Amino acid sequence: MDLRQLKGIGPKRADALRELDIHSVEQLLHYYPRAYLDRSCITKIKDLPKHFAAGKEVTVIASVFRTEVRRTKKRTKIFFLTIKDETGFVTCVFYAGVEWYANAFEQGEVLAVSAVPELDRLNRIQFIHPEFDRLSHGEDDDETDWSKLLHTGSIIPKYSSSEELRLVGLDNRGFRRLLKQAVTAVSTAVCEHLPAAVIQKYHLPGIHAALRQIHFPKSYAERDGALRRLKFDELFFFELLMAYRRREVKSGWKGISFSPKSELARLLVQTLPFELTAAQKRVIGEITADMQASSPMNRLLQGDVGSGKTIVALFAMLVAVANGYQSALMAPTEILAEQHYRSLEKLLASSPLTLRLLIGGQKKRLRDDVLEDVRGGQANIVIGTHALLEERVLFNKLGLVVVDEQHRFGVAQRSRLREKGNEKHPDVLVMTATPIPRTLSLTLYGDLDVSVIDELPKDRKSIRTAVRGDEDKGKVYAFLREEIGRGRQAYVVYPLIEESEKLDLKAAEGEYVRLQNQIFPELKVGLLHGRLPSDEKDAVMRRFSQKEIDILVATTVIEVGIDVPNATVMVIENAERFGLSQLHQLRGRVGRGGDQSYCILLTNKRLQQKKTILAADRAQAQEEIVTSQQRLQTMVQTSDGFAIAEADLRLRGPGEYFGTRQSGLPEFRIADLVLDAEIVSIARDSAFGIVETDPHLRLPEHAEVHRRFEVIYKHLLSLVRTG
Ligand code: ADP
Ligand code: MG
């Protein structure tokens, strides 16, 4: 159904909606409210002091009484908006966007204003950067009697808008009017696509009811039912895609049946200076069983930092080599690839195998030589970065692909390396130090089998973690000196955040100079960051691991995988700027030997607070402080990677956690992979069930599923046709 069939949509609005990717009434109906005006939080102005104590958000319905722009002594502008209801007045303060606000309100206009009440210097209640909703514009209004609406018990939807949309009248109220119309046309605009059996089995509302109720619910229970159905849909089609991916690997592809015997692997285990943990042995068993099978292995190996994944991967690589195949190991950074190369060379020193390293920064002669060895088959094991994915890299006989720290690579990169195989599909083992909850791993890696190393080597001591303020820096330095006096080494890590990378880099460099010249002139301080040419990085790392450097000042390039067991102290500057998983990874750089290790999280709370006051979205900035403190406390409380990953997911949500674009995870609009675990699992069951019974979606009851799946995943259609 065309948008133009709705009253009030002319070319301008149609254009504006197109920008939101809304081209039809159906798509408009999927423009869900961002929130609802919650009547239980509505209060009178005179009662605000009561709510101040509770510190929770409240809403007042009031009209615009006065607006005013004032200049401060520093000549910045502040906008004041005073609103009133029949019980009193309250002032709203805006520090940012003053120009816009100054012309945004009309005298007498009725607003719903929501914020956490705060006090001004004279102890009067004020709202700072409140959220506001226009309820009426005085005259021209067809939803006039708001007080009546509010009291008849309807729940009022709120829609997001933007300046461009507002210009064509599509503010909150404009959307509300449009959706009112769209909802009455829902049964002509939208087709039910789920099979009746699925709807019945999971007690879902039909699509028409769900769309009506998400916009104009009669109760919150009704809204929740609608939300459940719409989330189900979103997840269902994604799981359908996963079902096809898995089917393709399991039944469509021919893999290599390796013989699991490898003399080299046996010797390796015998000569290790330690005993493999029970978990490592079990996982090696799972992997070799997979390698024996005739369908290609597609396995995820999860194991916390330091759990010993590398040796497991090496074991698998040796099995492939013993069968006359090549193995490839791909790491996310050059430093890590080089380190893997060095440590595998050491482990295989007495074997006749040839290892080659392929990374971006190599000289042409060397690189050509490596490529030649890879193509000719002289190289048994090839280690590299994503340089391995380049077209000119041709393998002679690739049998096994290992991808380290998988979360740094996307699904696409993973499969590109797999495609380097020849007549048969190579086995794929992806490793990650970011353990994730089971429902989530099923969804994210739905096409993979999962192995978990859930045990750390016995000799590991737990790392003592503490949060310290900048005022404690003197003590922290003294502690560093003490540890280094006992023959240990330390890291000092600085954050690098993209938007201000240059400034941050300068800060790290400046700190390096300061630490070396002023704080620790008697010690050897080194600097490592991503911008260094790769041979310099390599040199610094080597000097650190050979103990020629005592303190390594670094950016997060050391986050993954670096292994220097003698380093026992990790100091993280501006720790509040790091995500939990990142902190956990960084902390995992110490505690790798037998000595007690320490992690010190430095954070400057006062500076953080000062920034908040200047932030455009103050409430968000405030929340960011709270969650950053929660992150640091989580680090102090636990070193369990699973617990940390779950906390991180809770605090950040999966989209940001996995970096949506990279992970191949779609941007879910309403579903949440963590909070909606129950819906994820029923959506998964029904999608997998359908693909099992009707893989080509030929049954009449699946016709609409088929049509919609094609619309959503256009580019992946071949899966259904050939799958
Ligand atoms: P990660 O799982 O983080 O990649 P690594 O494979 O780098 O961990 O292993 C961390 C360190 O633990 C390495 O120095 C490795 O040699 C050592 N290691 C691996 N397995 C064991 C074990 N079973 N017992 C003792 N040390 C081990
Ligand atoms: Mg590792």
Side-chain angles (χ1 to χ4, degrees):
M1 193 176 164
D2 196 81
L3 276 175
R4 303 277 187 103
Q5 285 175 258
L6 299 182
K7 212 171 58 187
I9 297 225
K12 269 197 201 149
R13 286 190 178 175
D15 280 348
L17 288 172
R18 204 165 303 131
E19 289 290 304
L20 293 176
D21 212 15
I22 296 176
H23 309 269
S24 66
V25 175
E26 176 166 16
Q27 284 165 329
L28 179 64
L29 283 162
H30 287 288
Y31 192 71
Y32 310 134
R34 106 190 118 75
Y36 301 84
L37 200 54
D38 185 350
R39 287 172 312 120
S40 66
C41 296
I42 294 178
T43 180
K44 293 290 175 206
I45 289 178
K46 78 166 164 23
D47 293 329
L48 283 176
K50 277 192 233 154
H51 294 278
F52 170 73
K56 288 217 183 81
E57 186 176 272
V58 293
T59 300
V60 298
I61 308 282
S63 62
V64 173
F65 177 70
R66 187 173 57 211
T67 63
E68 186 188 358
V69 175
R70 272 185 234 154
R71 276 174 196 281
T72 64
K73 275 188 217 126
K74 287 185 186 154
R75 307 199 55 77
T76 53
K77 290 182 188 170
I78 304 178
F79 177 68
F80 293 88
L81 165 71
T82 306
I83 53 177
K84 68 161 190 169
D85 68 6
E86 68 278 14
T87 70
F89 299 84
V90 65
T91 298
C92 311
V93 189
F94 298 84
Y95 296 99
V98 170
E99 307 295 336
W100 186 83
Y101 286 115
N103 298 307
F105 302 101
E106 276 173 48
Q107 181 97 34
E109 170 181 9
V110 180
L111 306 173
V113 180
S114 311
V116 179
E118 298 189 44
L119 293 182
D120 69 6
R121 255 179 293 173
L122 299 173
N123 279 338
R124 290 171 309 200
I125 295 282
Q126 62 173 3
F127 287 158
I128 295 177
H129 275 266
E131 226 188 89
F132 64 90
D133 247 298
R134 287 168 209 283
L135 297 185
S136 87
H137 260 298
E139 298 132 54
D140 93 289
D141 206 311
D142 55 359
E143 295 175 69
T144 23
D145 204 348
W146 273 96
S147 55
K148 209 190 223 159
L149 244 185
L150 287 172
H151 293 109
T152 51
S154 43
I155 296 171
I156 300 156
K158 298 199 222 177
Y159 297 91
S160 0
S161 184
S162 66
E163 203 148 335
E164 289 84 62
L165 289 165
R166 276 185 218 115
L167 280 176
V168 294
L170 287 177
D171 55 4
N172 195 4
R173 207 170 49 119
F175 269 114
R176 211 142 43 207
R177 280 189 205 160
L178 268 191
L179 262 316
K180 270 234 166 88
Q181 282 186 70
V183 157
T184 56
V186 65
S187 47
T188 27
V190 183
C191 241
E192 177 60 74
H193 46 262
L194 284 186
V198 170
I199 290 185
Q200 265 166 19
K201 182 164 180 197
Y202 300 112
H203 309 288
L204 299 167
I207 189 69
H208 297 150
L211 286 173
R212 248 182 270 126
Q213 293 164 359
I214 193 78
H215 291 287
F216 301 101
K218 292 212 176 58
S219 65
Y220 280 107
E222 204 175 84
R223 192 275 317 261
D224 291 344
L227 203 54
R228 187 172 129 89
R229 161 68 206 251
L230 297 169
K231 285 178 175 177
F232 181 94
D233 284 13
E234 205 173 23
L235 294 164
F236 172 81
F237 286 102
F238 176 67
E239 292 295 345
L240 203 57
L241 175 66
M242 292 316 240
Y244 280 115
R245 283 221 179 107
R246 189 175 172 87
R247 194 181 133 78
E248 190 187 20
V249 175
K250 284 285 159 199
S251 57
W253 292 356
K254 226 167 118 186
I256 308 158
S257 292
F258 293 100
S259 151
K261 292 212 173 57
S262 161
E263 186 56 23
L264 279 171
R266 204 180 56 77
L267 277 176
L268 170 78
V269 173
Q270 269 179 7
T271 53
L272 282 178
F274 48 76
E275 171 91 2
L276 291 179
T277 62
Q280 282 172 316
K281 286 183 194 159
R282 170 173 45 77
V283 164
I284 286 177
E286 289 165 3
I287 292 170
T288 45
D290 257 12
M291 292 180 75
Q292 265 180 283
S294 63
S295 63
M297 168 164 78
N298 207 22
R299 186 168 283 275
L300 174 70
L301 174 56
Q302 292 190 354
D304 208 347
V305 218
S307 62
K309 295 183 290 293
T310 315
I311 205 82
V312 170
L314 179 57
F315 194 99
M317 292 197 279
L318 291 178
V319 169
V321 171
N323 282 263
Y325 284 86
Q326 292 170 294
S327 298
L329 168 60
M330 181 164 76
T333 65
E334 289 181 8
I335 292 186
L336 197 52
E338 281 162 0
Q339 182 187 278
H340 275 317
Y341 177 69
R342 271 200 303 276
S343 61
L344 296 196
E345 263 207 322
K346 219 187 279 166
L347 286 165
L348 299 174
S350 58
S351 84
L353 300 188
T354 305
L355 272 68
R356 303 291 334 230
L357 175 70
L358 187 71
I359 53 178
Q362 285 167 322
K363 299 243 159 60
K364 188 172 179 312
R365 281 245 322 261
L366 175 59
R367 162 181 286 244
D368 286 347
D369 189 48
V370 173
L371 289 175
E372 190 53 45
D373 267 9
V374 176
R375 186 168 39 228
Q378 292 87 339
N380 304 103
I381 295 180
V382 188
I383 297 153
T385 54
H386 44 261
L388 287 171
L389 300 173
E390 286 168 21
E391 244 163 72
R392 59 182 154 178
V393 183
L394 299 171
F395 285 84
N396 184 267
K397 206 178 172 193
L398 181 59
L400 173 70
V401 169
V402 180
V403 182
D404 195 16
E405 307 298 347
Q406 118 86 23
H407 65 288
R408 294 297 195 90
F409 295 103
V411 177
Q413 284 173 313
R414 224 202 290 153
S415 45
R416 247 163 74 206
L417 194 50
R418 186 211 302 280
E419 281 154 18
K420 300 250 174 214
N422 308 86
E423 79 280 16
K424 285 179 179 166
H425 281 278
D427 281 357
V428 174
L429 178 68
V430 296
M431 308 198 288
T432 178
T434 338
I436 52 176
R438 188 179 151 73
T439 48
L440 195 59
S441 69
L442 279 179
T443 304
L444 254 188
Y445 309 116
D447 52 340
L448 301 179
D449 297 303
V450 178
S451 288
V452 184
I453 305 184
D454 47 9
E455 177 187 358
L456 292 180
K458 278 194 293 297
D459 58 348
R460 295 292 147 78
K461 290 218 175 97
S462 75
I463 301 165
R464 286 201 199 133
T465 303
V467 179
R468 293 283 179 268
D470 275 8
E471 62 279 8
D472 304 320
K473 263 193 173 169
K475 279 189 216 150
V476 172
Y477 294 148
F479 178 69
L480 278 182
R481 192 167 281 119
E482 207 175 289
E483 276 294 297
I484 290 162
R486 293 159 58 180
R488 305 283 106 78
Q489 289 163 282
Y491 299 96
V492 178
V493 177
Y494 284 84
L496 261 195
I497 309 276
E498 253 166 67
E499 64 233 49
S500 56
E501 202 172 309
K502 267 200 192 136
L503 279 179
D504 284 335
L505 196 54
K506 247 191 159 153
E509 279 168 344
E511 275 299 295
Y512 157 67
V513 172
R514 197 178 69 88
L515 288 180
Q516 176 68 89
N517 295 347
Q518 291 170 24
I519 315 283
F520 301 112
E522 78 284 12
L523 300 177
K524 199 75 201 94
V525 182
L527 175 66
L528 184 71
H529 59 74
R531 294 279 180 82
L532 287 177
S534 74
D535 49 344
E536 263 177 62
K537 271 191 267 186
D538 197 19
V540 173
M541 263 333 285
R542 188 165 314 153
R543 282 171 56 217
F544 188 61
S545 59
Q546 289 168 358
K547 236 180 134 178
E548 286 164 29
I549 292 174
D550 303 302
I551 300 175
L552 185 61
V553 175
T555 60
T556 47
V557 289
I558 63 148
E559 178 191 337
V560 277
I562 296 292
D563 185 25
V564 179
N566 191 53
T568 56
V569 189
M570 167 64 66
V571 178
I572 303 176
E573 294 260 3
N574 296 112
E576 75 280 352
R577 286 168 70 177
F578 291 94
L580 252 181
S581 302
Q582 229 179 349
L583 290 172
H584 181 60
Q585 283 284 335
L586 286 169
R587 181 170 60 183
R589 296 312 111 213
V590 296
R592 301 176 80 84
D595 303 299
Q596 177 62 52
S597 291
Y598 306 87
C599 175
I600 300 162
L601 306 167
L602 288 173
T603 172
N604 188 336
K605 225 172 159 183
R606 233 173 306 142
L607 186 71
Q608 225 186 332
Q609 238 134 21
K610 217 157 124 194
K611 280 191 196 146
T612 324
I613 294 171
L614 299 173
D617 188 336
R618 219 161 147 262
Q620 198 195 329
Q622 199 73 46
E623 196 178 308
E624 172 55 29
I625 291 196
V626 174
T627 55
S628 73
Q629 296 307 320
Q630 282 171 343
R631 285 199 295 271
L632 301 185
Q633 283 317 311
T634 306
M635 286 296 292
V636 172
Q637 281 154 14
T638 180
S639 57
D640 173 352
F642 267 98
I644 286 176
E646 279 189 40
D648 199 13
L649 270 164
R650 252 197 331 273
L651 290 172
R652 278 203 287 165
E656 205 190 318
Y657 180 86
F658 291 103
T660 305
R661 247 172 310 138
Q662 266 197 36
S663 62
L665 197 66
E667 192 136 4
F668 292 113
R669 290 175 59 198
I670 45 172
D672 180 314
L673 288 176
V674 181
L675 299 177
D676 299 321
E678 182 260 347
I679 311 179
V680 172
S681 93
I682 61 174
R684 183 177 170 84
D685 287 349
S686 25
F688 275 65
I690 288 176
V691 172
E692 179 128 326
T693 54
D694 181 22
H696 302 284
L697 301 178
R698 291 202 184 106
L699 296 175
E701 64 265 37
H702 297 149
E704 277 301 312
V705 171
H706 194 166
R707 190 191 62 82
R708 224 182 139 71
F709 186 62
E710 294 200 351
V711 173
I712 301 178
Y713 294 109
K714 274 186 219 95
H715 53 296
L716 294 165
L717 265 190
S718 57
L719 282 177
V720 189
R721 301 228 175 92
T722 61

